[in-house]
Amino acid sequence: MKTNSTNFKKVRFTETVLRDANQSLIATRLPYSKFAAILPEMDKAGYYSVECWGGAVFDVCLRYLDEDPWQRLRDLRKNLLSTKLQMLLRGQNLLGYKHYPDEIVKMFVEKSVENGIDIIRIFDALNDLRNIEVATKAAIKAGAIVSGTLSYTQSPVHTLEAFAKQAKEMENMGVASICVKDMAGVMTPEEAYDLISAIKAEVKIPVVLHTHCTTGMAYMTYMKAIEAGVDVIDTATSCFSGGTSQPATETLNYALTQLGYDTGLNADVLKKVNDYFKPIRDEYIKDGLLNPKMMATDTDALNYKVPGGMLSNLVSQLKAQNAMDRFEEVLIETPKVRADLGYPPLVTPMSQMVGVQATNNVLAGERYKNISKEVKAYCRGEYGTAPAPIDPEVMKKVLGDEKPIEGRYADTLEPVFEKTKQELKGVARSDEDVLSYVLFPQVAEKYFAARKAKEEKVVKYTIAPKED
Ligand code: CO
């Protein structure tokens, strides 16, 4: 082993099985009851953190799992006593799909910390720092560790200098670490080495790298990032790794330990964790929720420069319109629309916006003849400032004489918490319930009704047990 034991290098791991792996492979359908039993073991693994909340977890808990996401968080806290609980937060969008007023952002962040979150990874799809500022300040004030996050993408304006400068600005905002988030799994080893080096040269705080295996690049990308000094990487227990998920925890732990890195992980515990999740994974394959294709390598994203998830969306859009013969044209149009719109990173909601617009442009036979209301809102500045100026001609077609907003969109939003709380009298049982409702009104309402019905059933049963 070529190790200098006096100079042990450290790399720490964030385990993603409960959030990103769960979200990427099985549409976040893992109920709490399925993983509760392994939490005490996971608590001994030595992870830097367990990513377990935020992203789509909140929405899916209410919408499909009949679970209160806040209760899930409190239960996670009770069972992961010595592990840092981490969540992913979309800046001013929180866990929803639109911008919320600052009071809601502040309250949501405070309540997340109060219910058990330690680390909040905060990002904005456009890397508009005004969209993460309020959440970041509130989280720091509430005592959370904030990881200021850069949405990674490739474009003429997303240079090393631009990313490093944003990292510095986030450090100045008071974040505890910088996370580079390659949501699409398109970052190459060379890009990782250069980018992590550039950020490391600019900031003093630790740097985290997040990627996906989609294109098969992730293990190499992590190795080069580690050579460049990255401090934390995101991985998933091996049976929930690969494909659209993260690289495997055990594999990277094994390889890095041999290379002389201190990972802080306990390999025996990692094996127990994986043994626990394996039959669960197999169940999902059997019932069709986990398509084995999701776990394979797909290099199309490298050829088309379009993330894998977006490619499959384009295919289903075109199939629905019986226009698969226009696929190549749409693929050529997609980067053009992205350039017109100022090179937004192709992540939610921008990937959908750009994809739909490219499809419209091709199928209508005229560019920007049909414009979605999302693209209109984007051009108006409701999502923030585009990374590069939007093409003036497109801007004119989309907005006509209307002027884009000048300031921060959230400044135009009225507070809603007290009003909503009044409206929900007798239905919402806590401020957390009110926040669930503000984020997902119909879904939360349905959940509250189901919760009440379930309790009434239990009460009835307790009073007069029946044979069923
Ligand atoms: Co991800």
Side-chain angles (χ1 to χ4, degrees):
M1 207 165 57
K2 301 180 286 296
T3 308
N4 177 359
S5 58
T6 56
N7 184 22
F8 236 12
K9 298 164 288 185
K10 271 191 185 159
V11 183
R12 304 299 313 275
F13 285 55
T14 290
E15 171 61 50
T16 67
V17 64
L18 302 183
R19 208 287 298 175
D20 204 349
N22 170 18
Q23 185 170 330
S24 302
L25 293 177
I26 53 169
T28 333
R29 294 301 200 277
L30 206 54
Y32 180 80
S33 57
K34 275 228 200 287
F35 59 79
I38 194 65
L39 293 176
E41 199 62 45
M42 286 180 80
D43 204 24
K44 296 182 226 156
Y47 305 122
Y48 167 73
S49 63
V50 168
E51 193 194 41
C52 55
W53 214 62
V57 166
F58 196 95
D59 184 2
V60 172
C61 273
L62 288 168
R63 197 183 294 263
Y64 300 111
L65 301 176
D66 199 16
E67 258 187 62
D68 181 349
W70 299 100
Q71 188 57 45
R72 175 183 287 207
L73 176 55
R74 289 189 287 273
D75 290 339
L76 281 159
R77 178 74 288 165
K78 254 184 254 159
N79 290 286
L80 290 169
L81 289 169
S82 45
T83 304
K84 288 197 167 64
L85 303 188
Q86 185 175 311
M87 74 176 289
L88 179 66
L89 192 85
R90 289 192 278 270
Q92 203 75 24
N93 293 351
L94 297 173
L95 307 176
Y97 305 102
K98 58 175 198 179
H99 280 221
Y100 297 98
D102 290 343
E103 55 137 17
I104 295 294
V105 172
K106 287 180 198 159
M107 273 196 83
F108 194 91
V109 165
E110 276 164 25
K111 286 288 173 193
S112 303
V113 176
E114 197 181 304
N115 282 277
I117 285 295
D118 299 296
I119 303 176
I120 311 187
R121 198 178 269 181
I122 307 177
F123 78 99
D124 175 62
L126 292 175
N127 291 320
D128 183 338
L129 298 191
R130 296 173 307 167
N131 289 338
I132 69 162
E133 201 172 358
V134 173
T136 298
K137 290 200 167 137
I140 295 170
K141 196 171 160 214
I145 299 167
V146 175
S147 196
T149 302
L150 295 164
S151 302
Y152 180 71
T153 189
Q154 297 134 334
S155 91
V157 292
H158 290 90
T159 59
L160 294 176
E161 295 71 31
F163 277 128
K165 186 170 161 262
Q166 284 211 310
K168 184 74 197 169
E169 282 167 26
M170 291 197 290
E171 185 181 43
N172 291 338
M173 239 184 234
V175 303
S177 66
I178 301 292
C179 172
V180 179
K181 195 167 167 63
D182 174 23
M183 292 112 156
V186 293
M187 186 188 286
T188 67
E190 183 184 43
E191 289 163 1
Y193 187 85
D194 293 346
L195 182 55
I196 299 299
S197 302
I199 294 173
K200 280 289 220 184
E202 195 68 38
V203 303
K204 293 186 185 66
I205 48 182
V207 178
V208 182
L209 181 59
H210 172 90
T211 189
H212 290 252
C213 288
T214 325
T215 61
M217 208 81 80
Y219 289 90
M220 296 180 283
T221 300
Y222 275 164
M223 282 312 298
K224 293 303 282 184
I226 290 164
E227 282 176 25
V230 87
D231 299 276
V232 182
I233 53 174
D234 283 7
T235 61
T237 193
S238 56
C239 65
F240 268 88
S241 73
T244 53
S245 175
Q246 270 75 50
T249 310
E250 302 97 291
T251 311
L252 275 156
N253 178 47
Y254 194 96
L256 289 169
T257 305
Q258 191 176 61
L259 283 166
Y261 287 90
D262 173 10
T263 64
L265 292 170
N266 180 326
D268 296 333
V269 175
L270 296 186
K271 178 169 166 37
K272 282 185 198 161
V273 171
N274 191 50
D275 286 347
Y276 178 87
F277 279 104
K278 240 188 238 173
I280 297 176
R281 187 264 325 258
D282 293 345
E283 254 175 64
Y284 284 117
I285 292 179
K286 217 171 128 199
D287 71 14
L289 191 58
L290 173 52
N291 182 340
K293 257 194 201 163
M294 304 295 274
M295 303 187 97
T297 303
D298 185 342
T299 53
D300 278 349
L302 300 177
N303 302 322
Y304 296 121
K305 295 285 171 200
V306 169
M310 193 177 159
L311 277 176
S312 49
N313 278 346
L314 287 177
V315 169
S316 47
Q317 254 175 61
L318 287 171
K319 274 191 180 151
Q321 300 187 57
N322 226 348
M324 259 315 278
D325 56 321
R326 314 293 297 273
F327 188 50
E328 281 293 325
E329 284 170 79
V330 172
L331 284 174
I332 294 165
E333 177 66 9
T334 301
K336 289 186 189 162
V337 170
R338 184 177 175 233
D340 290 344
L341 297 181
Y343 299 104
L346 293 178
V347 299
T348 307
M350 302 305 150
S351 47
Q352 290 82 345
M353 230 185 270
V354 170
V356 169
Q357 193 58 53
T359 309
N360 285 351
N361 287 359
V362 168
L363 297 187
E366 185 192 327
R367 305 188 77 222
Y368 302 99
K369 190 179 175 199
N370 299 329
I371 299 158
S372 68
K373 69 174 197 303
E374 286 81 10
V375 168
K376 270 190 193 137
Y378 172 84
C379 289
R380 234 183 266 130
E382 291 182 18
Y383 291 84
T385 303
I390 298 171
D391 182 277
E393 266 177 45
V394 172
M395 196 70 159
K396 204 158 176 236
K397 268 192 183 159
V398 175
L399 290 190
D401 292 331
E402 201 186 328
K403 287 263 169 295
I405 57 164
E406 304 236 320
R408 202 178 60 112
Y409 179 62
D411 288 335
T412 67
L413 304 171
E414 294 291 329
V416 294
F417 186 82
E418 280 309 323
K419 197 179 90 207
T420 313
K421 193 173 175 172
Q422 291 307 316
E423 283 166 18
L424 292 178
K425 250 199 174 126
V427 179
R429 297 172 182 179
S430 60
D431 287 353
E432 283 85 345
D433 272 359
V434 179
L435 289 170
S436 300
Y437 182 89
V438 170
L439 262 60
F440 301 104
Q442 291 92 355
V443 175
E445 204 170 5
K446 228 180 96 214
Y447 169 77
F448 296 149
R451 176 173 67 183
K452 195 162 169 241
K454 211 156 111 191
E455 283 167 1
E456 277 163 6
K457 212 168 137 200
V458 172
V459 171
K460 230 192 265 166
Y461 183 83
T462 329
I463 297 166
K466 289 200 189 94
E467 57 282 12
D468 62 344

